[in-house]
Amino acid sequence: MTLAEKLVSLREKYGMDGEQTAQELGVAPERLAAWEDGSETPDPSGLMSIADVFDVELEWLLDEGRSGETALAHKIGLPAALYVRDFIYELIPAIHFRR
């Protein structure tokens, strides 16, 4: 399942429409629509918002069923995807500290 498919599935599971979801994620509805149709990929901040709003793990969001590399990693390049993953993991302690 792709990130886009997971996002649509989560939104539907929570009974939210696009407007509500976009508001919860802090993005424009057009941005959410692009994420859901796969034409855009969320930045690290967007990924963290999705994980937080829907209470899912970032690893699960990024794991799109490829062996050893995610489709996201394939799309933006494995080194870039690893950088994004490491960046997000560095932010997690700071986020928990702020709450």
Side-chain angles (χ1 to χ4, degrees):
M1 183 181 276
T2 67
L3 175 61
E5 292 167 334
K6 288 177 183 179
L7 184 53
V8 171
S9 176
L10 288 166
R11 180 176 56 76
E12 291 173 350
K13 177 182 173 182
Y14 279 72
M16 300 168 75
D17 63 26
E19 294 276 334
Q20 292 170 316
T21 305
Q23 185 175 6
E24 286 290 321
L25 295 174
V27 298
E30 297 80 16
R31 172 68 41 95
L32 175 65
W35 292 351
E36 289 187 344
D37 70 20
S39 62
E40 289 185 21
T41 303
D43 61 13
S45 174
L47 290 169
M48 291 177 62
S49 294
I50 294 166
D52 188 46
V53 167
F54 294 112
D55 194 29
V56 295
E57 297 289 328
L58 288 171
E59 281 294 323
W60 178 79
L61 282 175
L62 296 174
D63 180 8
E64 296 183 349
R66 293 179 150 273
S67 57
E69 114 183 14
T70 65
L72 176 62
H74 181 70
K75 185 174 183 177
I76 66 174
L78 187 56
L82 293 175
Y83 172 79
V84 169
R85 183 200 63 199
D86 293 344
F87 175 78
I88 290 170
Y89 285 141
E90 287 177 20
L91 290 177
I92 290 172
I95 293 168
H96 287 290
F97 181 73
R98 286 191 320 198
R99 290 183 178 185

